[in-house]
Amino acid sequence: THSHQMLSLDKTKDIQVIKSFCSQKTMICMGKMDGLTCALRYEDGNLVAAETRGNGIIGENILHNALTVKNIPKKINYKGVLEVDGELICTYRDFENFSGEYKNPRNFAAGSIRLLDSQEANKRKLTFIAWDWINNPYDRLGDALVELGKLGFTTVPYWDGIDLTKDNLEEIMLFIKQSCDKESLPIDGLVFKYDYVKDYAAAGQTAHRQRSIARPRVS
């Protein structure tokens, strides 16, 4: 059972809806990774749990295979509990070696992390991309992502502190897409969230969805 609900996002392809949403508060935009959502838990610097999203409340225990993912830190310099949500993905570059067996990188990542044989899972070259610090002690999500990077996590390409009175949303969206493409990261859209933790907490959630918004990728 997750310590926090891992809910899905509202979706739209309408740029005006996105602009309306982003005009409410200071926002952060990030790539929507196309893989398997998972939660990591550290206690006094040690990785002690790794879970798939599942139904948002209960997921699968994948710690045995998460320990084989090379870019997941096994120990971090942090006291207390730290919980990170992110995505297990296979980059397009790494997927080229397996494309004959699997339809797309997402299916490949989802199947690989559930393998019973950890040695086989280790051969699959999966990558963990962190996109949220659940018990974030900082004022902004952008600040938390910077600190996660310092702790050794690979973080999602993002643009924080978005203010539509001075920022061009279309340019920001293009920048995030190009950043993901440059790193060979599979994405299926962009995510917009409140940057300030206090705004995000005040917004709440519906029964099944977080009050964030995602724009499905359009090629």
Side-chain angles (χ1 to χ4, degrees):
T1 302
H2 303 313
S3 65
H4 58 285
Q5 288 185 309
M6 302 175 70
L7 305 178
S8 57
L9 303 174
D10 285 329
K11 298 179 181 179
T12 184
K13 291 185 178 181
D14 189 333
I15 187 65
Q16 295 307 318
V17 172
I18 296 172
K19 287 183 176 180
S20 176
F21 181 75
C22 291
S23 67
Q24 302 174 45
K25 302 286 184 179
T26 303
M27 307 298 291
I28 184 170
C29 175
M30 61 183 70
K32 184 175 180 292
M33 297 294 106
D34 191 18
L36 183 73
T37 297
C38 110
L40 304 180
R41 180 183 175 91
Y42 293 79
E43 295 179 1
D44 290 331
N46 298 301
L47 177 62
V48 297
E51 307 158 358
T52 65
R53 176 179 177 273
N55 64 6
I57 299 174
I58 298 175
E60 297 175 61
N61 177 3
I62 54 169
L63 180 61
H64 64 297
N65 284 340
L67 290 169
T68 72
V69 178
K70 290 183 173 58
N71 81 321
I72 290 182
K74 312 310 181 288
K75 295 183 71 72
I76 59 175
N77 184 21
Y78 192 86
K79 292 294 184 182
V81 175
L82 185 150
E83 295 181 305
V84 180
D85 278 2
E87 204 89 357
L88 281 163
I89 58 110
C90 181
T91 66
Y92 285 119
R93 282 192 293 265
D94 290 333
F95 183 64
E96 290 176 359
N97 297 324
F98 301 93
S99 57
E101 305 173 48
Y102 291 84
K103 184 177 179 180
N104 54 54
R106 184 186 187 282
N107 290 349
F108 176 74
S112 298
I113 201 63
R114 291 185 171 97
L115 291 171
L116 296 178
D117 186 344
S118 294
Q119 291 185 340
E120 180 61 28
N122 186 39
K123 300 175 184 177
R124 300 301 183 95
K125 297 182 178 180
L126 299 183
T127 298
F128 179 76
I129 306 294
W131 41 253
D132 202 0
W133 184 335
I134 299 306
N135 49 335
N136 178 8
Y138 299 93
D139 291 335
R140 300 188 307 121
L141 176 54
D143 295 334
L145 291 173
V146 170
E147 293 304 315
L148 286 176
K150 292 178 181 179
L151 288 171
F153 294 92
T154 302
T155 56
V156 64
Y158 68 93
W159 186 309
D160 62 335
I162 299 173
D163 179 354
L164 290 193
T165 63
K166 60 182 180 180
D167 295 322
N168 185 303
L169 191 59
E170 284 86 350
E171 290 182 1
I172 292 172
M173 293 166 65
L174 180 60
F175 171 80
I176 298 299
K177 180 183 180 302
Q178 290 176 337
S179 297
C180 292
D181 289 344
K182 182 179 179 181
E183 297 299 321
S184 191
L185 301 176
I187 63 172
D188 59 352
L190 302 173
V191 175
F192 298 88
K193 299 176 68 172
Y194 294 139
D195 196 10
Y196 282 89
V197 174
K198 62 180 177 59
D199 293 334
Y200 189 74
Q205 62 193 32
T206 64
H208 302 287
R209 299 182 184 277
Q210 298 176 12
R211 293 198 183 278
S212 303
I213 197 165
R215 182 178 192 268
R217 183 176 184 178
V218 179
S219 58

